[in-house]
């Protein structure tokens, strides 16, 4: 469903429809050796190299006019180590396939984002995350990496082997090399009980610390033009398994959240004045429910309605103030916003350019339906986020540059120095990296 490529003119487009590029050539390697050879040949031809995943980034992080590497043949599990509780997986494996394969083996990742269409390398290279009090992003669950460097050599890294590369490459933005395999920490499969229920905006913000403290995974959606949110609490459970019933699941997750949602957004795009009314009705459509299932079936849900997204991580202590400022801005404005604002959290981690690097973080994501003008709303939201030292998700719309990032990431210079060493000729450069990392 993800990447759309026109064979006629060789144009690559991302899922959100915000980025298009025309590579000089495309390569679909069937092995690490073939990928390494493609990188070496690009060097001989003076071309840059970019690997693309499923195209779920809204930024041009994967765009190239050089060599486009498609990893769809580099998929599957290489190895499961039940003693170490790790799984090594090829870089092009979609998260969906990984999750299903792990479940069959009685294993699971500890935490997940809310979609699983991305490849494991694309998701981790951009810092994809879910929500967690103690459990962090997918990248924080990495225990080892294999990557092809600019000279075509293959490097492996972990906390013990090439630790400086490991610290940075877990969220490497495609700037250090092409990831070919990832070793994740896993655990025996467990059950999560999800409790979803509406809650007034003022209540969820005034009780946020309490709700965060009491739940392993707490997140909520606020609907602009309303005083309503929908909350979700996920906690480990002894069972029994009580999945969403197929008909109810289809109604809530497919009909309401995708089919009806598509129609509603198309009406809102055509007639923006109807959006506040639609928003009030939408909040009523999200009913309370509780269910218990294996982790990926609780963390993730289908996202078939296409949108554009900006997300910033702010210090967790600044979340409530930031969110109230965002609501005040929307209430005062003429904006008509049909998509909810998503709020999640993550604990501090030790990855150089992780949005949660060195600080407990809260994420605020703003969305607009694809095809509606989003720039003015995102500009105002970004002004609020950056006033709180916000760090944008690397795969979502932002306008920040290297100077800004150097100010909000204490280890920014550590990353750029490593890049200078591993890719001095900028084989993996593109316009996006030029902006966010500097020359």
């Amino acid at each position: 469903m993800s990447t759309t490529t026109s064979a006629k003119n060789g144009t690559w487009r991302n899922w959100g429809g915000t980025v298009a590029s025309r590579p000089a050539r495309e390569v679909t390697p069937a092995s690490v050796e073939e990928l390494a050879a493609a990188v070496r040949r690009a060097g001989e031809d003076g071309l840059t190299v970019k690997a693309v995943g499923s195209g779920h980034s809204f930024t041009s992080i994967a765009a190239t006019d050089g060599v486009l590497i498609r990893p769809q043949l580099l998929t599957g599990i290489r190895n499961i180590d039940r003693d170490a509780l790790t799984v090594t997986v090829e870089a092009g494996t979609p998260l969906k396939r990984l999750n299903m394969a792990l479940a069959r083996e009685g294993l699971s990742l500890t935490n997940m984002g809310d979609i699983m269409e991305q490849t494991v390398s694309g998701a981790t290279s951009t810092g994809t995350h879910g929500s967690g009090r103690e459990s962090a992003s997918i990248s924080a669950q990495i225990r080892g990496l294999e990557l092809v460097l600019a000279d075509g050599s293959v490097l492996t890294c972990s906390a013990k082997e090439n630790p400086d590369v490991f610290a940075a490459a877990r969220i490497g933005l495609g700037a250090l090399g092409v990831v070919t395999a990832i070793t994740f920490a896993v655990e025996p499969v467990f059950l999560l009980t999800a409790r979803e229920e509406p809650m007034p905006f003022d209540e969820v913000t005034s009780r946020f610390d309490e709700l965060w403290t009491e739940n392993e995974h707490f997140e909520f959606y606020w609907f602009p033009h309303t005083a309503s949110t929908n909350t979700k609490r996920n906690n480990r459970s002894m069972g029994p398994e009580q999945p969403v019933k197929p008909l109810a699941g289809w109604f809530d997750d497919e009909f309401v959240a995708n089919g009806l949602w598509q129609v509603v957004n198309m009406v809102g795009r055509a007639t923006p004045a109807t959006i506040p009314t639609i928003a009030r009705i939408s909040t009523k459509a999200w009913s309370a429910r509780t269910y218990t299932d294996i982790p990926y079936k609780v963390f993730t849900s289908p996202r078939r309605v296409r949108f554009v997204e900006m997300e910033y991580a702010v210090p967790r202590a600044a979340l409530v103030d930031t969110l109230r400022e965002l609501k005040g801005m929307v209430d005062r404005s003429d904006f008509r916003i049909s998509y909810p604002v998503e709020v999640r959290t993550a604990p501090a981690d030790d990855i150089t350019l992780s949005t949660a690097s060195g600080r407990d973080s809260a994420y605020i994501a703003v969305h607009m339906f694809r095809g509606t003008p989003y720039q003015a709303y995102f500009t105002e939201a970004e002004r609020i986020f950056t006033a709180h030292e916000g760090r944008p998700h690397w795969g979502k719309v932002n306008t920040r540059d290297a100077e800004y990032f150097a100010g909000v990431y204490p280890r920014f210079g550590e990353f750029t120095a490593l890049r200078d060493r591993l890719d001095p000729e900028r084989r993996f450069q593109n316009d996006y990296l030029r902006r966010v990392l500097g020359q």
Side-chain angles (χ1 to χ4, degrees):
M1 72 173 271
S2 311
T3 344
T4 48
T5 302
S6 159
K8 262 193 301 212
N9 61 9
T11 301
W12 174 84
R13 290 185 178 85
N14 68 337
W15 180 85
T18 53
V19 179
S21 67
R22 294 192 65 177
R25 64 173 176 254
E26 291 190 15
V27 182
T28 309
S31 66
V32 175
E33 292 74 26
E34 283 184 20
L35 197 158
V39 171
R40 281 194 296 272
R41 189 179 155 211
E44 290 160 11
D45 296 344
L47 295 171
T48 56
V49 177
K50 276 282 148 229
V52 299
S54 61
H56 265 272
S57 287
F58 299 95
T59 61
S60 55
I61 192 166
T64 185
D65 57 4
V67 178
L68 185 79
I69 293 177
R70 293 183 174 278
Q72 62 255 42
L73 299 181
L74 298 172
T75 61
I77 290 176
R78 275 193 196 178
N79 177 53
I80 294 174
D81 185 332
R82 291 186 181 274
D83 294 327
L85 278 177
T86 60
V87 58
T88 301
V89 63
E90 302 276 352
T93 308
L95 281 166
K96 185 173 189 172
R97 275 186 60 188
L98 172 62
N99 278 296
M100 292 169 78
L102 286 175
R104 284 195 297 272
E105 298 287 342
L107 298 168
S108 176
L109 292 170
T110 298
N111 201 352
M112 270 286 295
D114 55 12
I115 58 171
M116 54 179 180
E117 309 305 323
Q118 313 104 308
T119 61
V120 292
S121 54
T124 55
S125 293
T126 54
T128 297
H129 62 90
S131 193
R133 186 183 58 203
E134 284 103 17
S135 55
S137 70
I138 303 176
S139 300
Q141 298 168 66
I142 294 176
R143 295 296 175 265
L145 282 171
E146 175 187 270
L147 56 166
V148 171
L149 301 182
D151 61 2
S153 63
V154 179
L155 177 136
T156 54
C157 62
S158 66
K160 294 197 176 92
E161 182 184 15
N162 297 308
D164 57 334
V165 180
F166 183 66
R170 282 174 287 168
I171 299 179
L173 317 186
L176 305 176
V178 179
V179 176
T180 49
I182 302 175
T183 300
F184 289 103
V186 291
E187 56 179 304
V189 73
F190 53 95
L191 292 173
L192 284 172
T193 292
R195 178 179 163 198
E196 299 173 5
E197 64 178 350
M199 191 178 287
F201 180 90
D202 289 342
E203 182 182 350
V204 81
T205 49
S206 61
R207 290 180 56 203
F208 176 74
D209 286 341
E210 168 201 338
L211 291 162
W212 175 83
T213 303
E214 287 176 355
N215 296 284
E216 291 173 71
H217 310 272
F218 177 68
E219 60 189 277
F220 65 94
Y221 295 86
W222 162 59
F223 293 82
H225 315 298
T226 78
S228 305
T229 75
N230 199 52
T231 63
K232 184 174 181 180
R233 303 169 225 202
N234 298 332
N235 290 287
R236 293 193 185 219
S237 165
M238 297 303 292
E241 217 168 304
Q242 289 181 309
V244 176
K245 291 186 171 65
L247 184 60
W250 174 84
F251 183 79
D252 287 343
D253 298 328
E254 285 297 343
F255 179 71
V256 174
N258 284 296
L260 187 61
W261 189 238
Q262 174 89 24
V263 173
V264 159
N265 275 280
M266 287 169 78
V267 170
R269 184 171 64 188
T271 319
T274 61
I275 285 176
T277 304
I278 288 170
R280 287 189 288 274
I281 295 166
S282 295
T283 61
K284 306 284 191 292
W286 298 76
S287 52
R289 63 178 183 173
T290 302
Y291 53 96
T292 301
D293 214 327
I294 61 174
Y296 84 85
K297 293 184 179 180
V298 173
F299 287 135
T300 69
S301 52
R303 290 276 193 281
R304 306 199 205 289
V305 182
R306 303 206 178 202
F307 54 84
V308 181
E309 181 177 0
M310 168 184 278
E311 181 184 67
Y312 267 75
V314 297
R316 200 184 70 234
L319 169 71
V320 172
D321 286 347
T322 310
L323 197 58
R324 284 176 177 156
E325 286 173 39
L326 183 70
K327 184 175 187 298
M329 180 272 288
V330 170
D331 289 348
R332 288 189 306 273
S333 76
D334 295 327
F335 297 140
R336 293 293 173 258
I337 300 149
S338 61
Y339 252 84
V341 172
E342 184 179 22
V343 178
R344 295 175 288 176
T345 67
D349 64 41
D350 63 350
I351 304 169
T352 316
L353 291 187
S354 164
T355 45
S357 184
R359 74 182 191 194
D360 291 341
S361 299
Y363 296 93
I364 304 175
V366 297
H367 312 71
M368 287 289 266
F369 183 50
R370 185 163 117 173
T372 49
Y374 63 86
Q375 287 86 349
Y377 170 42
F378 282 16
T379 297
E380 290 304 311
E382 192 172 39
R383 190 170 290 142
I384 292 167
F385 300 150
T386 54
H388 292 278
E389 297 189 337
R391 298 168 176 172
H393 187 302
W394 296 107
K396 296 176 186 178
V397 175
N398 71 84
T399 65
R400 301 297 92 188
D401 60 13
E403 186 183 358
Y404 179 85
F405 289 118
V408 294
Y409 282 101
R411 298 169 67 187
F412 187 77
E414 190 183 314
F415 188 97
T416 54
L418 180 67
R419 181 187 183 217
D420 287 342
R421 176 160 72 80
L422 296 183
D423 187 16
E425 293 179 4
R426 299 293 187 261
R427 184 68 50 224
F428 304 114
Q429 176 85 290
N430 65 3
D431 288 344
Y432 180 79
L433 294 183
R434 204 171 280 115
R435 167 164 68 87
V436 302
L437 296 178
Q439 297 289 6

